[in-house]
Amino acid sequence: MDKISVIIPCYNEEESIERVIKSIPNEVAEIIVVDNNSKDKSAEIARNAGARVISEPIQGYGAAHKSGFKNAQGDIIATLDADCQYPAEKILEIVKYLNDKNLDFISCNRFPLQNSKSINFTRIIGNWFLTTSANLLFGLKLKDSQSGMWIFKKKIFDDISLESDDMPLSQELKIRVATNPKFKFTEYYIPYYPRSGESKLFPIKHGLMNFKALFKLKKQIRPHT
């Protein structure tokens, strides 16, 4: 069986991090919580719950993920947020699909939402706009360019490198893989739950950041054909 590493970026999520860790299937080989300068007890709680905790001093969603990727020992990597929104219980099911279909990367698609309370209207519109923009710029057919749950073979990093230290990393990773002819990429529909704790996302600020990042990425990547 493939060795699976789960990576969870974490910034002040003491209310939910233990529940996320406990929801991960026992078959997972390692759980890495990347503590991104938390001021609360997130790191201590995660460690006590059985996770391996590493620190990433560069603040940002992307920096935390890249630190996790670098430290992961598994053949397959799965990512989750620390706020209980993504279905950790689906990890083995999705890994099986990855292997059965001989895929390299699965991005989990949240739309259409099963629970309308999971994302507010502003974020739904923003997600649609960013996903549509990515599809037009890169010739793709993504349904959810901003999803934070991905399951993929670690070997993809032999052929791609990531730049963003912030929120744009999510779309950057998907686009770099989906436009690379070496890789087999698809999306997989999942439930998405209401958040536990306070959101760290600023829709307008992060939306504009991601939109600008698409054009920077466009200069580096040829459209998918």
Side-chain angles (χ1 to χ4, degrees):
M1 181 177 178
D2 293 308
K3 184 176 181 179
I4 304 169
S5 297
V6 174
I7 295 171
I8 308 169
C10 182
Y11 175 66
N12 294 340
E13 298 287 2
E14 64 181 5
E15 293 182 28
S16 56
I17 187 61
E18 182 176 13
R19 276 181 289 155
V20 173
I21 292 168
K22 296 299 186 184
S23 69
I24 294 171
N26 292 331
E27 290 86 350
V28 165
E30 66 172 354
I31 301 170
I32 299 175
V33 171
V34 185
D35 179 35
N36 201 201
N37 302 308
S38 295
K39 304 298 190 292
D40 63 7
K41 295 181 179 180
S42 294
E44 178 185 348
I45 293 170
R47 197 173 289 111
N48 290 339
R52 174 185 169 201
V53 178
I54 61 176
S55 296
E56 175 47 60
I58 299 174
Q59 193 68 41
Y61 181 82
H65 272 99
K66 288 191 288 184
S67 183
F69 297 154
K70 182 179 178 181
N71 282 275
Q73 298 175 357
D75 308 298
I76 292 178
I77 293 175
T79 63
L80 298 169
D81 286 352
D83 56 14
C84 293
Q85 289 200 275
Y86 288 102
E89 70 276 7
K90 292 276 188 180
I91 289 174
L92 297 183
E93 173 188 318
I94 301 172
V95 168
K96 183 178 186 302
Y97 188 82
L98 181 90
N99 288 327
D100 287 349
K101 300 296 184 181
N102 194 29
L103 300 168
D104 298 296
F105 194 106
I106 292 176
S107 180
C108 295
N109 166 38
R110 300 166 290 174
F111 298 101
L113 293 172
Q114 291 187 15
N115 188 329
S116 61
K117 296 180 181 179
S118 299
I119 306 179
N120 63 36
F121 184 70
T122 300
R123 286 184 58 195
I124 290 173
I125 295 300
N127 193 294
W128 173 85
F129 177 75
L130 289 170
T131 298
T132 300
S133 298
N135 287 338
L136 290 173
L137 284 169
F138 297 96
L140 300 174
K141 296 180 180 180
L142 299 174
K143 296 177 181 178
D144 185 4
S145 68
Q146 305 301 308
S147 168
M149 184 176 181
W150 326 308
I151 293 178
F152 60 93
K153 295 176 181 176
K154 189 182 179 183
K155 69 178 184 179
I156 68 166
F157 294 122
D158 293 340
D159 290 282
I160 67 168
S161 59
L162 300 169
E163 295 183 1
S164 179
D165 284 333
D166 216 316
M167 295 304 294
L169 179 124
S170 178
Q171 62 188 20
E172 179 190 355
L173 176 57
K174 297 178 185 72
I175 292 167
R176 287 192 186 278
V177 174
T179 57
N180 190 319
K182 292 184 179 181
F183 301 130
K184 294 180 181 179
F185 171 99
T186 195
E187 290 178 295
Y188 191 98
Y189 184 61
I190 57 165
Y192 188 62
Y193 309 129
R195 194 189 202 287
S196 176
E198 183 181 351
S199 176
K200 314 301 188 301
L201 184 70
F202 298 94
I204 295 176
K205 172 188 173 182
H206 289 129
L208 289 173
M209 179 190 297
N210 284 14
F211 186 61
K212 289 171 62 177
L214 285 174
F215 289 91
K216 180 180 178 182
L217 198 58
K218 172 68 174 176
K219 296 178 181 178
Q220 303 173 19
I221 297 177
R222 293 182 178 181
H224 179 69
T225 56

